[in-house]
Amino acid sequence: MDNKMGKEIINNYRKYFNEINSGELYEAENTLKSIVKKEEAGEGYLNARRYLGMLYLEMENFDKAISELSMIVKIKEATKKKKFRNLAKECPEGFDKEEEERGHLAWVYHDLGMAYLGKADCEMAEKYLLKAYDISKDKKNIFRNDLGWLYYKWNKPEEAIEKFKASVNQGDNSGFPHFYLGLAEIKAGRLVSAKEWLNEAISIFDTNAHDPYDKSKRIFYELMKASALNNLGRIEMDNGEYRKSKRLFLEGLAICERQECQEYIKGLSPRRKTKESITIAALHNNLGLLHYKQGFLDEAEKEYIAALKFEELPETYNNLAVVYHEKGVKEKAESYLKNALRLDSQTEVARANLNRLVGGGANWWDWWFKP
């Protein structure tokens, strides 16, 4: 590749980096597409296609992410040649060494797995996440943790627990495996152990959230703490500790509602923004469920409606249906149950509730969403 073409490509990478930092994702997409054409016409580097796959993953366009990343795998497996340029060296103001490592094939397999997980294709996700783990030389804990998350989403809590415990034993002190161990233990029905892991995660998140030099890192860990507080509060509520659970839910909401946290969330990619929106919605939903358990229907309704403003969750619609049924508004109850099934046709409790409602069952509201 001649020097003029090389400089033009690096300048385009700088343009892409600025667009990403400004949240201009569609502009970044077009910039990367132009780099792909230039790189493949020259020495065949795959960096731009790699970043395009990452971008589509963050935009939750999983089909396009799979298409771009699969093309890289096909090329690499066919040529066996190194096809990633050293952007950390050529464009250090945009790409540091850690970011450049994401060009390695292990990360391509990893993101392919995460894209398939986004499509709920757990078998394909496992195939590529295992490949990523097998060929990676470092960052083993990251790949192992994401395998654990796959097994958690796949409703295989014991396999998830095995992965997360391995990361803890290998020195992962980020708090992530501790947090996800808590979630997996909840799914496995071991609430005492779940509380221990969640409390340990909160302690680690608190430590990481006191970094005075990195505001983004601090807010990130504060939001992780809010998610842990939500799950801890749910355990306390199911144990009948209503005062403890209310305090935990309100503490989590107070974190999420702070102005700097809201501004941080606004600047996230669609995929990461969805994650935080789900946390806030779950906090409102669980606070509503707490009010319902205490007999405060109006307060419960208010919290459920607040939850839906952040993210539509099937359990929130189901819980709203419970409230409207008790208020005698059958039409709204039926509508909300249908919305729950629209979001997730496998929400068995909503389907059972709808059958009871339509069939005139007397005690269907006892079947509200349970963990």
Side-chain angles (χ1 to χ4, degrees):
M1 182 181 297
D2 60 47
N3 290 335
K4 182 179 179 181
M5 177 68 77
K7 288 180 179 179
E8 182 181 354
I9 289 175
I10 295 302
N11 286 334
N12 277 339
Y13 272 117
R14 292 191 179 100
K15 182 172 181 284
Y16 153 74
F17 182 72
N18 290 331
E19 289 165 343
I20 284 292
N21 277 348
S22 301
E24 300 168 353
L25 302 186
Y26 293 101
E27 290 81 355
E29 176 188 6
N30 290 330
T31 299
L32 286 174
K33 285 180 177 178
S34 69
I35 301 175
V36 167
K37 292 180 180 178
K38 291 183 175 66
E39 284 192 333
E40 293 186 351
E43 296 178 30
Y45 289 117
L46 297 171
N47 300 72
R49 193 179 290 279
R50 165 78 186 105
Y51 286 110
L52 194 55
M54 290 169 58
L55 180 64
Y56 286 138
L57 179 59
E58 290 303 312
M59 293 169 72
E60 296 187 312
N61 193 330
F62 301 121
D63 288 325
K64 284 189 175 181
I66 289 169
S67 176
E68 295 296 336
L69 297 168
S70 296
M71 181 64 71
I72 295 173
V73 170
K74 183 178 179 180
I75 293 171
K76 288 288 290 182
E77 290 180 346
T79 64
K80 305 296 182 183
K81 294 179 181 178
K82 183 177 180 180
K83 286 286 184 175
F84 295 105
R85 66 194 304 153
N86 188 348
L87 288 173
K89 180 179 179 181
E90 298 180 64
C91 189
E93 68 275 28
F95 299 88
D96 58 24
K97 184 177 185 299
E98 182 176 353
E99 181 65 21
E100 180 55 31
E101 289 173 355
R102 293 183 64 85
H104 294 176
L105 189 58
W107 280 103
V108 178
Y109 284 134
H110 169 272
D111 286 0
L112 253 176
M114 298 306 289
Y116 276 112
L117 182 55
K119 289 172 62 68
D121 188 339
C122 293
E123 290 185 359
M124 289 296 288
E126 180 184 40
K127 171 186 173 181
Y128 286 110
L129 287 174
L130 283 172
K131 277 193 173 185
Y133 180 81
D134 288 342
I135 71 171
S136 62
K137 295 180 180 179
D138 54 11
K139 311 292 184 184
K140 285 285 190 181
N141 283 337
I142 294 177
F143 296 118
R144 189 188 293 112
N145 287 340
D146 284 336
L147 266 169
W149 179 242
L150 160 67
Y151 291 130
Y152 173 82
K153 298 286 284 184
W154 204 353
N155 203 27
K156 296 183 177 183
E158 300 303 336
E159 288 89 336
I161 288 167
E162 178 188 348
K163 296 299 180 186
F164 295 132
K165 281 188 175 179
S167 289
V168 172
N169 292 336
Q170 290 299 315
D172 187 336
N173 294 316
S174 65
F176 300 132
H178 308 75
F179 171 73
Y180 292 118
L181 265 167
L183 299 190
E185 292 284 14
I186 290 173
K187 187 166 281 194
R190 295 187 286 267
L191 300 188
V192 174
S193 178
K195 283 178 63 175
E196 292 174 353
W197 286 114
L198 288 170
N199 277 313
E200 191 167 348
I202 288 171
S203 177
I204 297 172
F205 294 153
D206 270 333
T207 300
N208 290 333
H210 283 88
D211 188 331
Y213 305 106
D214 193 334
K215 181 179 178 182
S216 294
K217 177 183 175 183
R218 174 167 54 80
I219 296 175
F220 173 80
Y221 279 107
E222 286 177 345
L223 292 172
M224 286 297 300
K225 178 182 176 181
S227 186
L229 289 167
N230 176 56
N231 287 280
L232 195 57
R234 186 58 189 258
I235 294 173
E236 297 292 4
M237 179 171 63
D238 289 339
N239 286 337
E241 298 287 349
Y242 291 167
R243 286 187 178 181
K244 286 184 180 179
S245 63
K246 184 175 182 179
R247 176 179 58 79
L248 293 165
F249 293 146
L250 290 176
E251 185 181 351
L253 282 172
I255 293 172
C256 297
E257 290 172 354
R258 288 209 333 262
Q259 183 176 353
E260 64 175 358
C261 290
Q262 285 296 305
E263 290 175 355
Y264 172 85
I265 292 171
K266 286 179 183 177
L268 296 176
S269 67
R271 190 165 72 121
R272 292 182 62 197
K273 190 179 294 182
T274 296
K275 174 184 175 294
E276 302 303 342
S277 295
I278 288 174
T279 295
I280 300 172
L283 281 160
H284 280 293
N285 176 70
N286 286 335
L287 189 56
L289 185 54
L290 175 62
H291 288 314
Y292 174 82
K293 285 175 175 283
Q294 294 176 304
F296 304 129
L297 296 186
D298 289 340
E299 289 83 350
E301 178 186 359
K302 179 182 176 182
E303 292 299 332
Y304 294 148
I305 291 173
L308 291 175
K309 291 179 180 178
F310 289 95
E311 192 72 26
E312 289 186 297
L313 300 176
E315 54 264 42
T316 305
Y317 278 121
N318 183 76
N319 291 340
L320 259 173
V322 171
V323 169
Y324 283 120
H325 183 276
E326 291 210 15
K327 287 187 172 186
V329 189
K330 181 177 178 180
E331 294 78 10
K332 275 194 173 182
E334 183 176 345
S335 173
Y336 282 126
L337 288 172
K338 288 178 178 177
N339 272 328
L341 292 169
R342 169 179 58 82
L343 292 173
D344 184 358
S345 62
Q346 302 304 311
T347 308
E348 293 300 331
V349 65
R351 186 176 301 283
N353 287 345
L354 185 59
N355 290 338
R356 285 167 176 76
L357 177 63
V358 174
N363 297 314
W364 71 270
W365 57 82
D366 290 335
W367 289 63
W368 67 68
F369 176 78
K370 295 183 185 298

